Amino acid sequence: MATWLIGGALKAQPNREVRIMDKKGKSIVLYKESHALIIWVGDYKAWSKLINVEREANDVKAVLVRQGFNVRMVGNPTGQSIMSEVQDFIATYGYKRDNRLVIFYTGHGDTRNRDKGYLVPVDAPDPTLDETDFLRKAVSMEQVMTWARNIESKHVLFVFDSCFSGTVFKTKSKMKLDDSYIRTVIDKPVRQFLAAGDAGQKVPAKSVFTPLLVRALKGEADFSKDGYVTGSELGLFLTQKLPGYTNNSQSPQYGKIRDVELDQGDIVFRPPPEPVPTIIPEPPSYCNQSTRNQTTYWLCASKQTWYQADLTCKKSGSSLVLIEDEDEDAFLFKQIQRYSLGDTWIGLTDQETENYWTWNNDNPLAYSNWDKNPPNNEPNNGMGNFQGGEDCAVIMNKQPGRESKWDDRPCNLEGYTYNFICRFSQ
């Protein structure tokens, strides 16, 4: 079964097996590996620009990483680049049967002759002005169907935050909402497709489809309440929710490929469990407390090394701050300015593996805001314990023109002490 998502890409992360209990209570492997290719296109020259697609693609990336996906991200590709990236993705991951694949695209779509759909790359001209060059550069749904059939992985989902026509979306799948459904489809191959709208409908500057997709993958589409979200449930959720949010200006399409060998299964996602509410103690006198979206932060004016700050947060039951997206980053920088903290430690480090940045609670890096040059990843210089390398990160608030950007600094040197932020997740 194949999953195709259209949108942004992630830094590759280690895969986790996905397991499920069979009827006898035995744990069996559902997927050995999970991989996603996210493609976003917004910086068009001949089409209207889509300024929010990179951010929205990163949101998709984050929710997939949390579910164990290795995510590859491609931004503003040409038509040739889309072709080569997809072909390389298939060659690398698409010939292992027990892989779960998602390909996500967000950008303009177009329809020709009322029933031929196309993905519009960054270099595609307006077809009303140069139809020949448009057809040379755009990626047709016929090409997508060829890719879908060439893939040998069991489950593949194609998701397009675009509007165009395509007969593939006319075949709807039936879904049994009971706890035995997943066991009946886990070993059957499938190619599933989701699109934000039909021909003649326009992609809004700020997507509604992608945020709803993220919500669905987090668990809102679990209609059967079995702890899993299937591709069919994603389709049902989006076709029910999206028209209401767009005054019926978008009619999402969902279907399976018209192929008797590839339309029997259903891709499966397992949303992470809801976190247990955290009891938050009173902050120390040198910390100010702020709250956003049920998450509490301590903004601490006490200059410490990264190791000391990390320990201080952990003793309180929190951790040095993890930043999930651009909104959270912007909120935190405003708090840094509000309390005049200067450069401020965050919980990001590459101490375990050079150039492989992760949050100190082992969450993968899905969003980043590095300055132009960092991370420099300077060597340890033989000083031991990573003391000579720049293996920990700060949000800058002192360097003119570089405010709010991230920079890498030594973790445990006396000359590199900064204020810090602790984060309590609800």
Side-chain angles (χ1 to χ4, degrees), residues 171-175 181 192 231-232 254-256 263 265-266:
T171 303
K172 307 298 182 185
S173 62
K174 296 180 180 179
M175 178 176 56
Y181 174 73
Q192 291 167 281
S232 297
Y254 165 72
K256 294 182 178 181
D263 68 351
D266 208 341

Side-chain angles (χ1 to χ4, degrees), residues 6 105-109 119 160-164 195-198 203 209 253:
I6 303 185
Y105 166 89
T106 179
H108 282 297
L119 310 182
F160 311 92
D161 192 350
S162 301
C163 298
F164 47 75
D198 206 338
V203 175
F209 176 88
Q253 304 177 75

Side-chain angles (χ1 to χ4, degrees), residues 5-10 38-41 52-64 71-75 104-106 161 207 210-211 214 366:
L5 300 182
I6 303 185
L10 291 181
I38 298 179
I39 302 168
W40 58 269
V41 190
N52 293 297
V53 288
E54 181 179 7
R55 178 178 168 187
E56 292 158 357
N58 274 295
D59 291 340
V60 175
K61 175 182 70 174
V63 75
L64 290 176
V71 183
R72 183 185 293 184
M73 193 174 210
V74 180
F104 176 87
Y105 166 89
T106 179
D161 192 350
S207 174
T210 292
V214 169

Side-chain angles (χ1 to χ4, degrees), residues 79-91:
Q80 186 57 46
S81 293
I82 292 178
M83 295 287 291
S84 61
E85 289 288 347
V86 174
Q87 289 165 3
D88 182 69
F89 180 78
I90 293 172

Side-chain angles (χ1 to χ4, degrees), residues 15-29:
N15 269 270
R16 299 193 299 267
E17 285 187 347
V18 178
R19 291 179 170 268
I20 191 172
M21 303 299 289
D22 66 13
K23 293 181 179 179
K24 297 180 180 180
K26 182 181 178 181
S27 176
I28 59 174
V29 175

